[in-house]
PDB file of all heavy atoms in Angstrom:
ATOM      1  N   SER S 656      -9.598  -9.321 -12.441  1.00  0.00           N
ATOM      2  CA  SER S 656     -10.825 -10.034 -12.947  1.00  0.00           C
ATOM      3  C   SER S 656     -10.886 -11.426 -12.331  1.00  0.00           C
ATOM      4  O   SER S 656     -11.958 -11.937 -11.985  1.00  0.00           O
ATOM      5  CB  SER S 656     -10.823 -10.167 -14.489  1.00  0.00           C
ATOM      6  OG  SER S 656     -11.010  -8.963 -15.061  1.00  0.00           O
ATOM      7  N   GLY S 657      -9.749 -12.055 -12.262  1.00  0.00           N
ATOM      8  CA  GLY S 657      -9.711 -13.434 -11.736  1.00  0.00           C
ATOM      9  C   GLY S 657     -10.265 -14.429 -12.718  1.00  0.00           C
ATOM     10  O   GLY S 657     -10.033 -14.287 -13.928  1.00  0.00           O
ATOM     11  N   THR S 658     -11.009 -15.398 -12.236  1.00  0.00           N
ATOM     12  CA  THR S 658     -11.570 -16.443 -13.094  1.00  0.00           C
ATOM     13  C   THR S 658     -13.083 -16.248 -13.153  1.00  0.00           C
ATOM     14  O   THR S 658     -13.623 -15.518 -12.346  1.00  0.00           O
ATOM     15  CB  THR S 658     -11.271 -17.887 -12.585  1.00  0.00           C
ATOM     16  OG1 THR S 658     -12.128 -18.111 -11.425  1.00  0.00           O
ATOM     17  CG2 THR S 658      -9.824 -17.984 -12.160  1.00  0.00           C
ATOM     18  N   PRO S 659     -13.780 -16.955 -14.040  1.00  0.00           N
ATOM     19  CA  PRO S 659     -15.249 -16.806 -14.058  1.00  0.00           C
ATOM     20  C   PRO S 659     -15.881 -17.298 -12.728  1.00  0.00           C
ATOM     21  O   PRO S 659     -16.922 -16.834 -12.360  1.00  0.00           O
ATOM     22  CB  PRO S 659     -15.672 -17.751 -15.206  1.00  0.00           C
ATOM     23  CG  PRO S 659     -14.501 -17.830 -16.092  1.00  0.00           C
ATOM     24  CD  PRO S 659     -13.298 -17.736 -15.189  1.00  0.00           C
ATOM     25  N   GLU S 660     -15.201 -18.187 -12.035  1.00  0.00           N
ATOM     26  CA  GLU S 660     -15.755 -18.729 -10.795  1.00  0.00           C
ATOM     27  C   GLU S 660     -15.486 -17.805  -9.585  1.00  0.00           C
ATOM     28  O   GLU S 660     -16.302 -17.740  -8.657  1.00  0.00           O
ATOM     29  CB  GLU S 660     -15.156 -20.090 -10.457  1.00  0.00           C
ATOM     30  CG  GLU S 660     -15.549 -21.227 -11.466  1.00  0.00           C
ATOM     31  CD  GLU S 660     -14.783 -21.116 -12.738  1.00  0.00           C
ATOM     32  OE1 GLU S 660     -13.612 -20.696 -12.698  1.00  0.00           O
ATOM     33  OE2 GLU S 660     -15.359 -21.459 -13.798  1.00  0.00           O
ATOM     34  N   PHE S 661     -14.352 -17.125  -9.546  1.00  0.00           N
ATOM     35  CA  PHE S 661     -14.030 -16.248  -8.390  1.00  0.00           C
ATOM     36  C   PHE S 661     -13.141 -15.059  -8.849  1.00  0.00           C
ATOM     37  O   PHE S 661     -12.244 -15.254  -9.599  1.00  0.00           O
ATOM     38  CB  PHE S 661     -13.386 -16.986  -7.245  1.00  0.00           C
ATOM     39  CG  PHE S 661     -12.390 -18.056  -7.661  1.00  0.00           C
ATOM     40  CD1 PHE S 661     -11.096 -17.683  -8.016  1.00  0.00           C
ATOM     41  CD2 PHE S 661     -12.753 -19.398  -7.777  1.00  0.00           C
ATOM     42  CE1 PHE S 661     -10.135 -18.651  -8.430  1.00  0.00           C
ATOM     43  CE2 PHE S 661     -11.884 -20.343  -8.184  1.00  0.00           C
ATOM     44  CZ  PHE S 661     -10.546 -20.006  -8.524  1.00  0.00           C
ATOM     45  N   GLY S 662     -13.501 -13.931  -8.358  1.00  0.00           N
ATOM     46  CA  GLY S 662     -12.751 -12.719  -8.801  1.00  0.00           C
ATOM     47  C   GLY S 662     -11.459 -12.554  -7.992  1.00  0.00           C
ATOM     48  O   GLY S 662     -11.250 -13.194  -7.019  1.00  0.00           O
ATOM     49  N   GLY S 663     -10.650 -11.644  -8.539  1.00  0.00           N
ATOM     50  CA  GLY S 663      -9.346 -11.350  -7.879  1.00  0.00           C
ATOM     51  C   GLY S 663      -9.511 -10.162  -6.982  1.00  0.00           C
ATOM     52  O   GLY S 663     -10.356  -9.289  -7.156  1.00  0.00           O
ATOM     53  N   ASP S 664      -8.634 -10.130  -5.965  1.00  0.00           N
ATOM     54  CA  ASP S 664      -8.574  -8.981  -5.064  1.00  0.00           C
ATOM     55  C   ASP S 664      -7.220  -8.243  -5.330  1.00  0.00           C
ATOM     56  O   ASP S 664      -6.415  -8.789  -6.124  1.00  0.00           O
ATOM     57  CB  ASP S 664      -8.603  -9.568  -3.618  1.00  0.00           C
ATOM     58  CG  ASP S 664      -9.057  -8.582  -2.559  1.00  0.00           C
ATOM     59  OD1 ASP S 664      -9.127  -7.353  -2.897  1.00  0.00           O
ATOM     60  OD2 ASP S 664      -9.424  -8.979  -1.479  1.00  0.00           O
ATOM     61  N   TYR S 665      -7.033  -7.066  -4.732  1.00  0.00           N
ATOM     62  CA  TYR S 665      -5.792  -6.418  -5.029  1.00  0.00           C
ATOM     63  C   TYR S 665      -4.618  -7.054  -4.248  1.00  0.00           C
ATOM     64  O   TYR S 665      -4.692  -7.270  -3.066  1.00  0.00           O
ATOM     65  CB  TYR S 665      -5.831  -4.879  -4.664  1.00  0.00           C
ATOM     66  CG  TYR S 665      -6.239  -4.571  -3.217  1.00  0.00           C
ATOM     67  CD1 TYR S 665      -5.232  -4.427  -2.226  1.00  0.00           C
ATOM     68  CD2 TYR S 665      -7.505  -4.431  -2.853  1.00  0.00           C
ATOM     69  CE1 TYR S 665      -5.594  -4.177  -0.918  1.00  0.00           C
ATOM     70  CE2 TYR S 665      -7.895  -4.199  -1.531  1.00  0.00           C
ATOM     71  CZ  TYR S 665      -6.918  -4.048  -0.621  1.00  0.00           C
ATOM     72  OH  TYR S 665      -7.240  -3.777   0.726  1.00  0.00           O
ATOM     73  N   PRO S 666      -3.493  -7.363  -4.951  1.00  0.00           N
ATOM     74  CA  PRO S 666      -2.378  -7.936  -4.292  1.00  0.00           C
ATOM     75  C   PRO S 666      -1.697  -6.866  -3.369  1.00  0.00           C
ATOM     76  O   PRO S 666      -1.771  -5.685  -3.661  1.00  0.00           O
ATOM     77  CB  PRO S 666      -1.427  -8.396  -5.351  1.00  0.00           C
ATOM     78  CG  PRO S 666      -2.146  -8.254  -6.651  1.00  0.00           C
ATOM     79  CD  PRO S 666      -3.244  -7.250  -6.414  1.00  0.00           C
ATOM     80  N   SER S 667      -1.097  -7.335  -2.314  1.00  0.00           N
ATOM     81  CA  SER S 667      -0.466  -6.378  -1.357  1.00  0.00           C
ATOM     82  C   SER S 667       0.813  -5.718  -1.877  1.00  0.00           C
ATOM     83  O   SER S 667       1.284  -4.762  -1.303  1.00  0.00           O
ATOM     84  CB  SER S 667      -0.157  -7.138  -0.071  1.00  0.00           C
ATOM     85  OG  SER S 667      -1.313  -7.511   0.588  1.00  0.00           O
ATOM     86  N   ILE S 668       1.338  -6.301  -2.929  1.00  0.00           N
ATOM     87  CA  ILE S 668       2.531  -5.692  -3.585  1.00  0.00           C
ATOM     88  C   ILE S 668       2.163  -5.581  -5.106  1.00  0.00           C
ATOM     89  O   ILE S 668       1.558  -6.520  -5.592  1.00  0.00           O
ATOM     90  CB  ILE S 668       3.800  -6.512  -3.399  1.00  0.00           C
ATOM     91  CG1 ILE S 668       4.030  -6.846  -1.910  1.00  0.00           C
ATOM     92  CG2 ILE S 668       5.040  -5.770  -3.992  1.00  0.00           C
ATOM     93  CD1 ILE S 668       5.323  -7.652  -1.659  1.00  0.00           C
TER      94      ILE S 668
END
Side-chain angles (χ1 to χ4, degrees):
Chain S
S656 288
T658 75
E660 293 77 31
F661 40 81
D664 205 342
Y665 56 92
S667 294
I668 308 179

